[in-house]
Amino acid sequence: SQQGEEDPQALSIQEGENATMNCSYKTSINNLQWYRQNSGRGLVHLILIRSNEREKHSGRLRVTLDTSKKSSSLLITASRAADTASYFCATNTGGFKTIFGAGTRLFVKA
Amino acid sequence: EAGVAQSPRYKIIEKRQSVAFWCNPISGHATLYWYQQILGQGPKLLIQFQNNGVVDDSQLPKDRFSAERLKGVDSTLKIQPAKLEDSAVYLCASSPRGGVGQETQYFGPGTRLLVL
């Protein structure tokens, strides 16, 4: 079963622009994580935000969480060609399992 | 710190053949995960180990898939017999504690399986 759904499915921007990806989920969560996957490589953890947090920053990344709307957003500022990748949100509902969404494919044009 | 190691990186087999994947997690990590990622989709958890024990294998097709984690370290995932729909990337991940509430998972490079 899919808990998180990312939007848009694909995004193409110019280098230097900001990229925003959204994740909506269905049931209450304990935490939500964002991962990045470059072509041909494994997933890399970006940020974990807990249900009692509203915003977190890491370098050029900003994640927000709105538990009332059951949604999260990932903002990448001043994007670079190296940011080209698939981005996944993963939700944990308090049990053992973390469920990944289908991902947003970001393409940053140089 | 060495990351999660997986082998082989690529495997091509014919349907009905058997295949095995190996994973060595980050040293000291208690929890090990196997995911299946079909092209264009997100990873789907197949099985999760906490040390030697299985804590979740609800999405593992047990008629053809098996996994073990001997001595709470390395793990192998086996498919026997393989079907065309098993073509996917098989990702191994580990985390320090895992368990209820989850935490950051560290992923290996994956094994890309093609079943002909």
mmCIF file of all heavy atoms in Angstrom, chain A residues 1 30-31 33 35 37 40-45 48 50 88 92 94-103 105, chain B residues 9 33 35 37 40-43 45 48 55-56 58-59 91 99-109 112:
data_model
loop_
_atom_site.group_PDB
_atom_site.id
_atom_site.type_symbol
_atom_site.label_atom_id
_atom_site.label_comp_id
_atom_site.label_asym_id
_atom_site.label_seq_id
_atom_site.Cartn_x
_atom_site.Cartn_y
_atom_site.Cartn_z
ATOM 1 N N SER A 1 0.856 -1.189 0.000
ATOM 2 C CA SER A 1 0.000 0.000 0.000
ATOM 3 C C SER A 1 0.890 1.237 0.000
ATOM 4 O O SER A 1 1.974 1.234 0.586
ATOM 5 C CB SER A 1 -0.896 0.018 1.212
ATOM 6 O OG SER A 1 -0.118 0.087 2.390
ATOM 7 N N ASN A 30 4.509 9.310 12.470
ATOM 8 C CA ASN A 30 5.469 9.563 13.541
ATOM 9 C C ASN A 30 6.568 10.477 13.028
ATOM 10 O O ASN A 30 7.016 11.385 13.729
ATOM 11 C CB ASN A 30 6.054 8.243 14.021
ATOM 12 C CG ASN A 30 6.995 8.418 15.189
ATOM 13 O OD1 ASN A 30 6.607 8.969 16.213
ATOM 14 N ND2 ASN A 30 8.222 7.982 15.032
ATOM 15 N N ASN A 31 7.029 10.188 11.818
ATOM 16 C CA ASN A 31 7.991 11.074 11.172
ATOM 17 C C ASN A 31 7.908 10.907 9.661
ATOM 18 O O ASN A 31 7.295 9.969 9.161
ATOM 19 C CB ASN A 31 9.419 10.815 11.670
ATOM 20 C CG ASN A 31 9.947 9.446 11.282
ATOM 21 O OD1 ASN A 31 10.030 9.106 10.103
ATOM 22 N ND2 ASN A 31 10.307 8.652 12.280
ATOM 23 N N GLN A 33 10.461 11.349 6.115
ATOM 24 C CA GLN A 33 11.836 11.509 5.653
ATOM 25 C C GLN A 33 11.839 11.784 4.146
ATOM 26 O O GLN A 33 10.956 11.328 3.422
ATOM 27 C CB GLN A 33 12.645 10.242 5.936
ATOM 28 C CG GLN A 33 12.680 9.860 7.404
ATOM 29 C CD GLN A 33 13.402 8.545 7.647
ATOM 30 O OE1 GLN A 33 14.500 8.348 7.129
ATOM 31 N NE2 GLN A 33 12.806 7.659 8.411
ATOM 32 N N TYR A 35 14.373 11.369 0.757
ATOM 33 C CA TYR A 35 15.551 10.714 0.231
ATOM 34 C C TYR A 35 15.762 11.162 -1.217
ATOM 35 O O TYR A 35 14.818 11.516 -1.923
ATOM 36 C CB TYR A 35 15.381 9.185 0.245
ATOM 37 C CG TYR A 35 15.473 8.544 1.600
ATOM 38 C CD1 TYR A 35 14.387 8.534 2.472
ATOM 39 C CD2 TYR A 35 16.652 7.922 2.013
ATOM 40 C CE1 TYR A 35 14.475 7.925 3.719
ATOM 41 C CE2 TYR A 35 16.741 7.302 3.257
ATOM 42 C CZ TYR A 35 15.646 7.313 4.098
ATOM 43 O OH TYR A 35 15.738 6.714 5.330
ATOM 44 N N GLN A 37 17.709 9.949 -4.938
ATOM 45 C CA GLN A 37 18.292 8.824 -5.661
ATOM 46 C C GLN A 37 18.779 9.332 -7.015
ATOM 47 O O GLN A 37 17.991 9.702 -7.877
ATOM 48 C CB GLN A 37 17.271 7.704 -5.852
ATOM 49 C CG GLN A 37 17.846 6.447 -6.499
ATOM 50 C CD GLN A 37 16.822 5.323 -6.544
ATOM 51 O OE1 GLN A 37 15.646 5.543 -6.812
ATOM 52 N NE2 GLN A 37 17.263 4.100 -6.266
ATOM 53 N N GLY A 40 21.189 5.407 -11.265
ATOM 54 C CA GLY A 40 22.124 4.308 -11.104
ATOM 55 C C GLY A 40 22.726 4.167 -9.720
ATOM 56 O O GLY A 40 23.577 3.321 -9.512
ATOM 57 N N ARG A 41 22.267 4.984 -8.771
ATOM 58 C CA ARG A 41 22.834 4.917 -7.426
ATOM 59 C C ARG A 41 21.758 4.603 -6.403
ATOM 60 O O ARG A 41 20.578 4.680 -6.655
ATOM 61 C CB ARG A 41 23.513 6.241 -7.077
ATOM 62 C CG ARG A 41 24.687 6.568 -7.967
ATOM 63 C CD ARG A 41 25.342 7.854 -7.527
ATOM 64 N NE ARG A 41 25.794 7.799 -6.142
ATOM 65 C CZ ARG A 41 26.327 8.837 -5.506
ATOM 66 N NH1 ARG A 41 26.448 9.996 -6.115
ATOM 67 N NH2 ARG A 41 26.720 8.724 -4.252
ATOM 68 N N GLY A 42 22.178 4.266 -5.222
ATOM 69 C CA GLY A 42 21.248 3.990 -4.133
ATOM 70 C C GLY A 42 20.656 5.263 -3.571
ATOM 71 O O GLY A 42 21.005 6.368 -3.972
ATOM 72 N N LEU A 43 19.757 5.099 -2.632
ATOM 73 C CA LEU A 43 19.104 6.246 -2.014
ATOM 74 C C LEU A 43 19.970 6.863 -0.933
ATOM 75 O O LEU A 43 20.653 6.160 -0.197
ATOM 76 C CB LEU A 43 17.773 5.834 -1.390
ATOM 77 C CG LEU A 43 16.637 5.592 -2.367
ATOM 78 C CD1 LEU A 43 16.548 4.116 -2.696
ATOM 79 C CD2 LEU A 43 15.334 6.088 -1.806
ATOM 80 N N VAL A 44 19.887 8.176 -0.835
ATOM 81 C CA VAL A 44 20.631 8.915 0.179
ATOM 82 C C VAL A 44 19.635 9.708 1.022
ATOM 83 O O VAL A 44 18.796 10.435 0.484
ATOM 84 C CB VAL A 44 21.662 9.869 -0.462
ATOM 85 C CG1 VAL A 44 22.319 10.731 0.610
ATOM 86 C CG2 VAL A 44 22.707 9.077 -1.224
ATOM 87 N N HIS A 45 19.747 9.575 2.327
ATOM 88 C CA HIS A 45 18.862 10.294 3.237
ATOM 89 C C HIS A 45 19.192 11.783 3.233
ATOM 90 O O HIS A 45 20.361 12.183 3.272
ATOM 91 C CB HIS A 45 19.036 9.730 4.649
ATOM 92 C CG HIS A 45 18.178 10.408 5.665
ATOM 93 N ND1 HIS A 45 18.642 11.400 6.492
ATOM 94 C CD2 HIS A 45 16.877 10.229 5.987
ATOM 95 C CE1 HIS A 45 17.666 11.807 7.272
ATOM 96 N NE2 HIS A 45 16.590 11.105 7.002
ATOM 97 N N LEU A 48 15.031 14.219 8.040
ATOM 98 C CA LEU A 48 13.941 13.588 8.780
ATOM 99 C C LEU A 48 13.241 14.677 9.577
ATOM 100 O O LEU A 48 13.895 15.458 10.266
ATOM 101 C CB LEU A 48 14.469 12.502 9.720
ATOM 102 C CG LEU A 48 13.458 11.720 10.563
ATOM 103 C CD1 LEU A 48 13.989 10.323 10.873
ATOM 104 C CD2 LEU A 48 13.097 12.419 11.871
ATOM 105 N N ARG A 50 10.023 15.246 12.333
ATOM 106 C CA ARG A 50 9.116 14.533 13.220
ATOM 107 C C ARG A 50 7.744 15.204 13.225
ATOM 108 O O ARG A 50 7.613 16.367 12.856
ATOM 109 C CB ARG A 50 9.698 14.458 14.629
ATOM 110 C CG ARG A 50 11.066 13.801 14.651
ATOM 111 C CD ARG A 50 11.553 13.422 16.013
ATOM 112 N NE ARG A 50 12.925 12.924 15.948
ATOM 113 C CZ ARG A 50 13.257 11.697 15.571
ATOM 114 N NH1 ARG A 50 12.319 10.836 15.224
ATOM 115 N NH2 ARG A 50 14.526 11.325 15.537
ATOM 116 N N PHE A 88 12.233 11.104 -3.001
ATOM 117 C CA PHE A 88 11.175 10.286 -2.410
ATOM 118 C C PHE A 88 10.870 10.750 -0.991
ATOM 119 O O PHE A 88 11.790 11.057 -0.225
ATOM 120 C CB PHE A 88 11.596 8.816 -2.334
ATOM 121 C CG PHE A 88 11.844 8.167 -3.668
ATOM 122 C CD1 PHE A 88 13.100 8.201 -4.241
ATOM 123 C CD2 PHE A 88 10.817 7.511 -4.326
ATOM 124 C CE1 PHE A 88 13.329 7.598 -5.462
ATOM 125 C CE2 PHE A 88 11.049 6.898 -5.547
ATOM 126 C CZ PHE A 88 12.302 6.951 -6.121
ATOM 127 N N ASN A 92 6.679 7.151 8.323
ATOM 128 C CA ASN A 92 6.612 6.135 9.376
ATOM 129 C C ASN A 92 5.417 6.467 10.252
ATOM 130 O O ASN A 92 5.301 7.575 10.747
ATOM 131 C CB ASN A 92 7.891 6.121 10.193
ATOM 132 C CG ASN A 92 7.766 5.222 11.409
ATOM 133 O OD1 ASN A 92 7.517 5.689 12.518
ATOM 134 N ND2 ASN A 92 7.895 3.930 11.191
ATOM 135 N N GLY A 94 4.660 5.049 13.086
ATOM 136 C CA GLY A 94 4.871 4.706 14.480
ATOM 137 C C GLY A 94 5.187 3.235 14.677
ATOM 138 O O GLY A 94 5.622 2.825 15.737
ATOM 139 N N GLY A 95 4.981 2.449 13.640
ATOM 140 C CA GLY A 95 5.314 1.032 13.733
ATOM 141 C C GLY A 95 6.717 0.786 13.215
ATOM 142 O O GLY A 95 7.568 1.660 13.221
ATOM 143 N N PHE A 96 6.953 -0.414 12.751
ATOM 144 C CA PHE A 96 8.284 -0.775 12.284
ATOM 145 C C PHE A 96 8.555 -0.340 10.845
ATOM 146 O O PHE A 96 9.686 -0.221 10.448
ATOM 147 C CB PHE A 96 8.482 -2.287 12.370
ATOM 148 C CG PHE A 96 8.632 -2.798 13.770
ATOM 149 C CD1 PHE A 96 7.561 -3.395 14.420
ATOM 150 C CD2 PHE A 96 9.826 -2.671 14.445
ATOM 151 C CE1 PHE A 96 7.701 -3.870 15.708
ATOM 152 C CE2 PHE A 96 9.974 -3.142 15.737
ATOM 153 C CZ PHE A 96 8.905 -3.742 16.371
ATOM 154 N N LYS A 97 7.494 -0.113 10.078
ATOM 155 C CA LYS A 97 7.676 0.038 8.645
ATOM 156 C C LYS A 97 7.749 1.493 8.207
ATOM 157 O O LYS A 97 7.012 2.346 8.699
ATOM 158 C CB LYS A 97 6.521 -0.641 7.906
ATOM 159 C CG LYS A 97 6.694 -0.750 6.404
ATOM 160 C CD LYS A 97 5.484 -1.405 5.754
ATOM 161 C CE LYS A 97 5.264 -2.805 6.267
ATOM 162 N NZ LYS A 97 4.130 -3.478 5.576
ATOM 163 N N THR A 98 8.638 1.789 7.269
ATOM 164 C CA THR A 98 8.689 3.080 6.590
ATOM 165 C C THR A 98 8.254 2.857 5.157
ATOM 166 O O THR A 98 8.788 1.986 4.476
ATOM 167 C CB THR A 98 10.104 3.669 6.631
ATOM 168 O OG1 THR A 98 10.454 3.944 8.001
ATOM 169 C CG2 THR A 98 10.178 4.958 5.834
ATOM 170 N N ILE A 99 7.257 3.618 4.702
ATOM 171 C CA ILE A 99 6.690 3.424 3.374
ATOM 172 C C ILE A 99 7.113 4.560 2.457
ATOM 173 O O ILE A 99 6.919 5.739 2.800
ATOM 174 C CB ILE A 99 5.158 3.324 3.440
ATOM 175 C CG1 ILE A 99 4.749 2.154 4.345
ATOM 176 C CG2 ILE A 99 4.567 3.142 2.042
ATOM 177 C CD1 ILE A 99 3.258 2.041 4.562
ATOM 178 N N PHE A 100 7.663 4.211 1.292
ATOM 179 C CA PHE A 100 8.127 5.183 0.315
ATOM 180 C C PHE A 100 7.038 5.498 -0.700
ATOM 181 O O PHE A 100 6.257 4.626 -1.087
ATOM 182 C CB PHE A 100 9.352 4.645 -0.426
ATOM 183 C CG PHE A 100 10.614 4.671 0.372
ATOM 184 C CD1 PHE A 100 10.865 3.700 1.325
ATOM 185 C CD2 PHE A 100 11.559 5.666 0.174
ATOM 186 C CE1 PHE A 100 12.035 3.719 2.078
ATOM 187 C CE2 PHE A 100 12.729 5.704 0.916
ATOM 188 C CZ PHE A 100 12.965 4.722 1.870
ATOM 189 N N GLY A 101 7.024 6.749 -1.163
ATOM 190 C CA GLY A 101 6.159 7.133 -2.263
ATOM 191 C C GLY A 101 6.808 6.790 -3.591
ATOM 192 O O GLY A 101 7.887 6.192 -3.636
ATOM 193 N N ALA A 102 6.155 7.180 -4.682
ATOM 194 C CA ALA A 102 6.638 6.851 -6.027
ATOM 195 C C ALA A 102 7.702 7.828 -6.518
ATOM 196 O O ALA A 102 8.378 7.558 -7.498
ATOM 197 C CB ALA A 102 5.477 6.813 -7.010
ATOM 198 N N GLY A 103 7.855 8.971 -5.864
ATOM 199 C CA GLY A 103 8.944 9.881 -6.188
ATOM 200 C C GLY A 103 8.617 10.986 -7.160
ATOM 201 O O GLY A 103 7.673 10.893 -7.953
ATOM 202 N N ARG A 105 10.643 13.138 -10.104
ATOM 203 C CA ARG A 105 11.857 13.159 -10.907
ATOM 204 C C ARG A 105 12.194 14.597 -11.243
ATOM 205 O O ARG A 105 11.459 15.252 -11.983
ATOM 206 C CB ARG A 105 11.683 12.312 -12.162
ATOM 207 C CG ARG A 105 11.839 10.834 -11.866
ATOM 208 C CD ARG A 105 10.753 9.986 -12.532
ATOM 209 N NE ARG A 105 10.699 8.647 -11.934
ATOM 210 C CZ ARG A 105 9.978 8.335 -10.876
ATOM 211 N NH1 ARG A 105 9.222 9.238 -10.291
ATOM 212 N NH2 ARG A 105 10.009 7.113 -10.388
ATOM 213 N N ARG B 9 26.360 -6.451 -8.532
ATOM 214 C CA ARG B 9 25.716 -5.197 -8.917
ATOM 215 C C ARG B 9 24.685 -5.422 -10.010
ATOM 216 O O ARG B 9 23.683 -4.716 -10.077
ATOM 217 C CB ARG B 9 26.761 -4.187 -9.388
ATOM 218 C CG ARG B 9 27.689 -3.701 -8.298
ATOM 219 C CD ARG B 9 26.942 -2.897 -7.221
ATOM 220 N NE ARG B 9 26.150 -1.821 -7.790
ATOM 221 C CZ ARG B 9 26.628 -0.623 -8.104
ATOM 222 N NH1 ARG B 9 27.897 -0.351 -7.912
ATOM 223 N NH2 ARG B 9 25.824 0.312 -8.592
ATOM 224 N N TYR B 33 17.376 -4.071 6.086
ATOM 225 C CA TYR B 33 16.174 -4.067 5.253
ATOM 226 C C TYR B 33 16.523 -4.523 3.836
ATOM 227 O O TYR B 33 17.584 -4.182 3.318
ATOM 228 C CB TYR B 33 15.591 -2.658 5.137
ATOM 229 C CG TYR B 33 15.520 -1.842 6.406
ATOM 230 C CD1 TYR B 33 16.650 -1.231 6.931
ATOM 231 C CD2 TYR B 33 14.294 -1.645 7.050
ATOM 232 C CE1 TYR B 33 16.574 -0.455 8.079
ATOM 233 C CE2 TYR B 33 14.216 -0.856 8.194
ATOM 234 C CZ TYR B 33 15.359 -0.264 8.704
ATOM 235 O OH TYR B 33 15.281 0.504 9.836
ATOM 236 N N TYR B 35 14.707 -4.096 0.077
ATOM 237 C CA TYR B 35 13.646 -3.445 -0.681
ATOM 238 C C TYR B 35 13.703 -3.923 -2.127
ATOM 239 O O TYR B 35 14.771 -4.228 -2.662
ATOM 240 C CB TYR B 35 13.821 -1.928 -0.692
ATOM 241 C CG TYR B 35 13.524 -1.223 0.606
ATOM 242 C CD1 TYR B 35 14.517 -1.062 1.572
ATOM 243 C CD2 TYR B 35 12.260 -0.683 0.863
ATOM 244 C CE1 TYR B 35 14.253 -0.395 2.764
ATOM 245 C CE2 TYR B 35 11.997 -0.015 2.041
ATOM 246 C CZ TYR B 35 12.994 0.135 2.987
ATOM 247 O OH TYR B 35 12.732 0.799 4.161
ATOM 248 N N GLN B 37 12.736 -2.363 -5.844
ATOM 249 C CA GLN B 37 12.345 -1.135 -6.532
ATOM 250 C C GLN B 37 12.174 -1.421 -8.015
ATOM 251 O O GLN B 37 13.148 -1.617 -8.733
ATOM 252 C CB GLN B 37 13.367 -0.020 -6.326
ATOM 253 C CG GLN B 37 12.926 1.317 -6.913
ATOM 254 C CD GLN B 37 13.893 2.442 -6.635
ATOM 255 O OE1 GLN B 37 15.075 2.237 -6.377
ATOM 256 N NE2 GLN B 37 13.400 3.687 -6.689
ATOM 257 N N GLY B 40 10.594 3.131 -12.112
ATOM 258 C CA GLY B 40 9.565 4.160 -12.057
ATOM 259 C C GLY B 40 8.759 4.192 -10.781
ATOM 260 O O GLY B 40 7.847 5.017 -10.641
ATOM 261 N N GLN B 41 9.080 3.303 -9.837
ATOM 262 C CA GLN B 41 8.349 3.254 -8.573
ATOM 263 C C GLN B 41 9.275 3.501 -7.397
ATOM 264 O O GLN B 41 10.495 3.501 -7.540
ATOM 265 C CB GLN B 41 7.664 1.884 -8.427
ATOM 266 C CG GLN B 41 6.655 1.574 -9.512
ATOM 267 C CD GLN B 41 5.983 0.231 -9.298
ATOM 268 O OE1 GLN B 41 6.003 -0.339 -8.210
ATOM 269 N NE2 GLN B 41 5.346 -0.292 -10.350
ATOM 270 N N GLY B 42 8.676 3.708 -6.245
ATOM 271 C CA GLY B 42 9.462 3.836 -5.042
ATOM 272 C C GLY B 42 9.823 2.470 -4.484
ATOM 273 O O GLY B 42 9.252 1.456 -4.883
ATOM 274 N N PRO B 43 10.777 2.410 -3.576
ATOM 275 C CA PRO B 43 11.164 1.128 -2.987
ATOM 276 C C PRO B 43 10.022 0.526 -2.166
ATOM 277 O O PRO B 43 9.309 1.232 -1.463
ATOM 278 C CB PRO B 43 12.336 1.497 -2.070
ATOM 279 C CG PRO B 43 12.802 2.831 -2.535
ATOM 280 C CD PRO B 43 11.599 3.522 -3.077
ATOM 281 N N LEU B 45 9.292 -2.345 0.746
ATOM 282 C CA LEU B 45 9.957 -3.187 1.742
ATOM 283 C C LEU B 45 9.568 -4.652 1.553
ATOM 284 O O LEU B 45 8.392 -4.996 1.515
ATOM 285 C CB LEU B 45 9.579 -2.744 3.157
ATOM 286 C CG LEU B 45 10.215 -3.545 4.289
ATOM 287 C CD1 LEU B 45 11.716 -3.300 4.357
ATOM 288 C CD2 LEU B 45 9.554 -3.212 5.620
ATOM 289 N N GLN B 48 12.414 -6.996 6.881
ATOM 290 C CA GLN B 48 13.195 -6.210 7.823
ATOM 291 C C GLN B 48 13.650 -7.109 8.956
ATOM 292 O O GLN B 48 12.841 -7.820 9.567
ATOM 293 C CB GLN B 48 12.364 -5.054 8.375
ATOM 294 C CG GLN B 48 13.073 -4.200 9.409
ATOM 295 C CD GLN B 48 12.215 -3.044 9.880
ATOM 296 O OE1 GLN B 48 11.253 -2.659 9.226
ATOM 297 N NE2 GLN B 48 12.556 -2.482 11.043
ATOM 298 N N VAL B 55 11.240 -8.780 11.760
ATOM 299 C CA VAL B 55 10.192 -7.971 12.375
ATOM 300 C C VAL B 55 9.071 -7.648 11.389
ATOM 301 O O VAL B 55 7.983 -7.285 11.800
ATOM 302 C CB VAL B 55 10.737 -6.673 12.993
ATOM 303 C CG1 VAL B 55 11.665 -6.978 14.146
ATOM 304 C CG2 VAL B 55 11.447 -5.817 11.959
ATOM 305 N N ASP B 56 9.353 -7.763 10.083
ATOM 306 C CA ASP B 56 8.317 -7.516 9.077
ATOM 307 C C ASP B 56 8.697 -8.218 7.786
ATOM 308 O O ASP B 56 9.756 -7.951 7.231
ATOM 309 C CB ASP B 56 8.151 -6.016 8.824
ATOM 310 C CG ASP B 56 6.929 -5.696 7.965
ATOM 311 O OD1 ASP B 56 6.511 -6.541 7.149
ATOM 312 O OD2 ASP B 56 6.387 -4.586 8.101
ATOM 313 N N SER B 58 5.812 -8.952 5.665
ATOM 314 C CA SER B 58 4.442 -9.043 5.179
ATOM 315 C C SER B 58 4.331 -8.905 3.659
ATOM 316 O O SER B 58 3.361 -9.365 3.065
ATOM 317 C CB SER B 58 3.574 -7.968 5.848
ATOM 318 O OG SER B 58 4.111 -6.675 5.626
ATOM 319 N N GLN B 59 5.301 -8.274 3.002
ATOM 320 C CA GLN B 59 5.239 -8.102 1.553
ATOM 321 C C GLN B 59 6.253 -8.986 0.825
ATOM 322 O O GLN B 59 6.515 -8.764 -0.358
ATOM 323 C CB GLN B 59 5.456 -6.623 1.186
ATOM 324 C CG GLN B 59 4.372 -5.713 1.751
ATOM 325 C CD GLN B 59 4.415 -4.328 1.156
ATOM 326 O OE1 GLN B 59 3.732 -4.038 0.181
ATOM 327 N NE2 GLN B 59 5.215 -3.458 1.742
ATOM 328 N N LEU B 91 17.447 -3.376 -3.225
ATOM 329 C CA LEU B 91 18.216 -2.484 -2.365
ATOM 330 C C LEU B 91 18.298 -3.053 -0.956
ATOM 331 O O LEU B 91 17.307 -3.526 -0.405
ATOM 332 C CB LEU B 91 17.550 -1.107 -2.303
ATOM 333 C CG LEU B 91 17.486 -0.325 -3.609
ATOM 334 C CD1 LEU B 91 16.515 0.839 -3.479
ATOM 335 C CD2 LEU B 91 18.851 0.177 -4.005
ATOM 336 N N GLY B 99 13.510 -0.434 14.541
ATOM 337 C CA GLY B 99 12.453 -0.647 15.507
ATOM 338 C C GLY B 99 11.348 0.372 15.385
ATOM 339 O O GLY B 99 11.241 1.100 14.412
ATOM 340 N N VAL B 100 10.549 0.437 16.416
ATOM 341 C CA VAL B 100 9.392 1.329 16.403
ATOM 342 C C VAL B 100 9.839 2.768 16.290
ATOM 343 O O VAL B 100 10.747 3.208 16.992
ATOM 344 C CB VAL B 100 8.560 1.126 17.683
ATOM 345 C CG1 VAL B 100 7.419 2.129 17.739
ATOM 346 C CG2 VAL B 100 8.024 -0.285 17.738
ATOM 347 N N GLY B 101 9.204 3.524 15.397
ATOM 348 C CA GLY B 101 9.536 4.927 15.227
ATOM 349 C C GLY B 101 10.530 5.173 14.115
ATOM 350 O O GLY B 101 10.656 6.296 13.646
ATOM 351 N N GLN B 102 11.261 4.138 13.738
ATOM 352 C CA GLN B 102 12.181 4.231 12.605
ATOM 353 C C GLN B 102 13.228 5.323 12.772
ATOM 354 O O GLN B 102 13.240 6.090 13.719
ATOM 355 C CB GLN B 102 11.402 4.422 11.297
ATOM 356 C CG GLN B 102 10.635 3.185 10.906
ATOM 357 C CD GLN B 102 11.542 2.052 10.480
ATOM 358 O OE1 GLN B 102 12.494 2.238 9.761
ATOM 359 N NE2 GLN B 102 11.262 0.852 10.950
ATOM 360 N N GLU B 103 14.124 5.381 11.861
ATOM 361 C CA GLU B 103 15.192 6.357 11.868
ATOM 362 C C GLU B 103 15.820 6.327 10.490
ATOM 363 O O GLU B 103 15.368 5.627 9.609
ATOM 364 C CB GLU B 103 16.218 6.003 12.930
ATOM 365 C CG GLU B 103 16.785 4.605 12.741
ATOM 366 C CD GLU B 103 17.709 4.192 13.860
ATOM 367 O OE1 GLU B 103 18.217 5.062 14.577
ATOM 368 O OE2 GLU B 103 17.937 2.991 14.016
ATOM 369 N N THR B 104 16.884 7.093 10.307
ATOM 370 C CA THR B 104 17.550 7.160 9.015
ATOM 371 C C THR B 104 18.042 5.789 8.579
ATOM 372 O O THR B 104 18.654 5.062 9.365
ATOM 373 C CB THR B 104 18.742 8.119 9.091
ATOM 374 O OG1 THR B 104 18.278 9.414 9.440
ATOM 375 C CG2 THR B 104 19.463 8.183 7.752
ATOM 376 N N GLN B 105 17.769 5.472 7.318
ATOM 377 C CA GLN B 105 18.268 4.236 6.733
ATOM 378 C C GLN B 105 19.401 4.574 5.766
ATOM 379 O O GLN B 105 19.337 5.559 5.039
ATOM 380 C CB GLN B 105 17.137 3.518 5.991
ATOM 381 C CG GLN B 105 16.007 3.070 6.917
ATOM 382 C CD GLN B 105 14.888 2.376 6.183
ATOM 383 O OE1 GLN B 105 15.110 1.675 5.196
ATOM 384 N NE2 GLN B 105 13.670 2.546 6.664
ATOM 385 N N TYR B 106 20.414 3.724 5.745
ATOM 386 C CA TYR B 106 21.577 3.904 4.877
ATOM 387 C C TYR B 106 21.524 2.813 3.827
ATOM 388 O O TYR B 106 21.526 1.619 4.167
ATOM 389 C CB TYR B 106 22.869 3.827 5.688
ATOM 390 C CG TYR B 106 22.971 4.914 6.731
ATOM 391 C CD1 TYR B 106 22.378 4.745 7.987
ATOM 392 C CD2 TYR B 106 23.621 6.113 6.457
ATOM 393 C CE1 TYR B 106 22.443 5.747 8.948
ATOM 394 C CE2 TYR B 106 23.700 7.116 7.423
ATOM 395 C CZ TYR B 106 23.103 6.925 8.657
ATOM 396 O OH TYR B 106 23.166 7.922 9.594
ATOM 397 N N PHE B 107 21.490 3.217 2.562
ATOM 398 C CA PHE B 107 21.265 2.285 1.476
ATOM 399 C C PHE B 107 22.550 1.895 0.766
ATOM 400 O O PHE B 107 23.478 2.711 0.622
ATOM 401 C CB PHE B 107 20.303 2.887 0.445
ATOM 402 C CG PHE B 107 18.871 2.865 0.879
ATOM 403 C CD1 PHE B 107 18.368 3.841 1.720
ATOM 404 C CD2 PHE B 107 18.024 1.860 0.442
ATOM 405 C CE1 PHE B 107 17.046 3.816 2.134
ATOM 406 C CE2 PHE B 107 16.690 1.830 0.840
ATOM 407 C CZ PHE B 107 16.206 2.808 1.686
ATOM 408 N N GLY B 108 22.571 0.660 0.293
ATOM 409 C CA GLY B 108 23.626 0.203 -0.579
ATOM 410 C C GLY B 108 23.328 0.603 -2.022
ATOM 411 O O GLY B 108 22.266 1.167 -2.302
ATOM 412 N N PRO B 109 24.243 0.292 -2.954
ATOM 413 C CA PRO B 109 24.067 0.694 -4.355
ATOM 414 C C PRO B 109 23.008 -0.113 -5.094
ATOM 415 O O PRO B 109 22.556 0.283 -6.161
ATOM 416 C CB PRO B 109 25.448 0.467 -4.960
ATOM 417 C CG PRO B 109 26.046 -0.603 -4.106
ATOM 418 C CD PRO B 109 25.524 -0.369 -2.733
ATOM 419 N N ARG B 112 20.880 -4.813 -9.661
ATOM 420 C CA ARG B 112 19.901 -4.707 -10.749
ATOM 421 C C ARG B 112 19.694 -6.077 -11.358
ATOM 422 O O ARG B 112 20.632 -6.677 -11.902
ATOM 423 C CB ARG B 112 20.391 -3.725 -11.804
ATOM 424 C CG ARG B 112 19.349 -3.341 -12.841
ATOM 425 C CD ARG B 112 19.892 -2.254 -13.762
ATOM 426 N NE ARG B 112 20.236 -1.047 -13.032
ATOM 427 C CZ ARG B 112 19.381 -0.067 -12.768
ATOM 428 N NH1 ARG B 112 18.126 -0.141 -13.200
ATOM 429 N NH2 ARG B 112 19.773 1.011 -12.113
#
